[in-house]
Amino acid sequence: MVTPPGIALHAAATAEAERRLDRLVRGRSAPRGSRRGRLVRRALVVADVTGLAVAFLAAEVAYGATVPGDRLTRPQEFLLFLATIPAWLALAKLYKLYDRDDERTDHSTVDDLVGVFHLATVASWTVFAAAWASGAADPGMSKLVTFWALAIVLVTGLRVVARTLCRRSDAYVQNTVVIGAGSVGQLVARKLLQHREYGIRLLGLVDERPRELRADLGSVSVLGAPSELPELVERLDIERVVVAFSEDGHERMLELVADLKALGVQVDIVPRLYEAIGPHTSVHGVEGVPLIALPAPKLFPFSRALKRTVDLVGASIGLVLFAPLFAVFAWRIRRDSPGPVFFRQTRLGEGMKEFEVLKFRTMRVDTDDAEHREFIRATMSAEALPTDNGLYKLERTDAITPVGRFLRRTSLDELPQLINVLRGEMSLVGPRPALAYEIEHFQPHHFERFAVPQGITGLWQVTARAHSTFGEAIEMDVAYARNWSLGLDLMLLLKTPFQVLRQKRGTA
């Protein structure tokens, strides 16, 4: 008896639906990609509860009981505070303070600062208002402000400790594969290998028709075709998959993503036109279709005034704090080699306006720039390979002075640029000031980086540094210009010291 085609197709569709349902049920019962999430969430909850409790005890000890007539003892008042802890944690959940570590490879406590500030502010005033309205307590303003400030500091500090401890655990590391072994997939793979702090163990790439692998991918190999990925997930315990422009059809990729999500795998997708999308690009939608908003690279008058105010205050404080270092470095530079203390060089600032940038001199006088020009030309392409030290950095050990080597490694050679900031020629945060001969290699959209003030630190310096080609660094400068905000500036300023310390330890 021959089965009619329609019945056969229906049977096949039913079998496929049952297979997907089985994967979905298994994925929900044992979510594979949530090991890191569970580890970090538990650690952060402990950190938050501890920080809040210590802040409350400190304020209690400093200011005493706040209940009229002292009807409650301090232990009773503390127990009453502990009863509100679930509400604090629920509010923290609303601010997504426990959800990002599993999703985002580069999430850090600095990214939580705004949420922690909001949490402490909203919850403190809510508790104050409820206590005052009910008459149960009458916390004074001094006590409230003390608790609020301590809560922000202690919760933030303990979150740093919690994440540091979590990153030492095997459960934090996620087995990862990249779908797509073309130029973009291999670029993503290289970047994942360079950032050990992401907690990513790159197992390999998956592609039906892979390109020849880059030399700097080391032992990374092609594991098979995308159709084999569900089996690979089970066999290799894969927790994260990055989709990077596979040649598989659109419908097939949607099916594969659905299968991976059903298995509890964290899926990251490299978007088309990723070069035009910055790290803080907003997403909105039209009837369920997500749209990515690309803001124009411009600063409105109020934003410009705000940025300038931060620059003036920050540069003034920095020059006062680092004045002793200026004296020590000036003495060492003059002792190591003849020549001036400061290295002066013409750079291009906002609007491509020329200015003279100041740095501590780290090289012998009259060093030829021909080698640097060739290095810039050779590293414009993302296909460029790093030097022998695994970095995209021109060492020039024959020309660098002994103290210059230390200054470059710690980025302290850029401290004199605080003077440029005071003059209004630079900002604390912004694209790196370009040399005139560098723009000979720019593509048209690269000139958008000159729409904002150039800076001492920036997106490239914090996220990649010498791990990126010159061309990739320019793309990050453009991304900063397109996505500027005061919040982004503050985040980059806060992350800069950690990046410098990481470089000093040799883990950048």
Side-chain angles (χ1 to χ4, degrees), residues 48-58 78 81-82 85 147 154:
D48 291 349
V49 172
T50 304
L52 292 171
V54 172
F56 183 84
L57 283 174
F78 181 63
F81 168 76
L82 288 181
I85 288 295
F147 167 73
L154 290 172

Side-chain angles (χ1 to χ4, degrees), residues 187-198 202 214 216 386 390-392 463-469 472 502 507-508:
L187 176 64
V188 171
R190 174 172 67 81
K191 291 180 179 294
L192 291 176
L193 288 173
Q194 290 170 341
H195 291 275
R196 288 177 291 173
E197 70 273 15
Y198 290 171
L202 183 62
R214 302 165 55 111
D216 55 346
L391 303 175
Y392 293 92
T463 60
R465 195 71 178 180
H467 288 302
S468 67
T469 65
E472 292 165 353
R502 188 177 297 126
T507 60

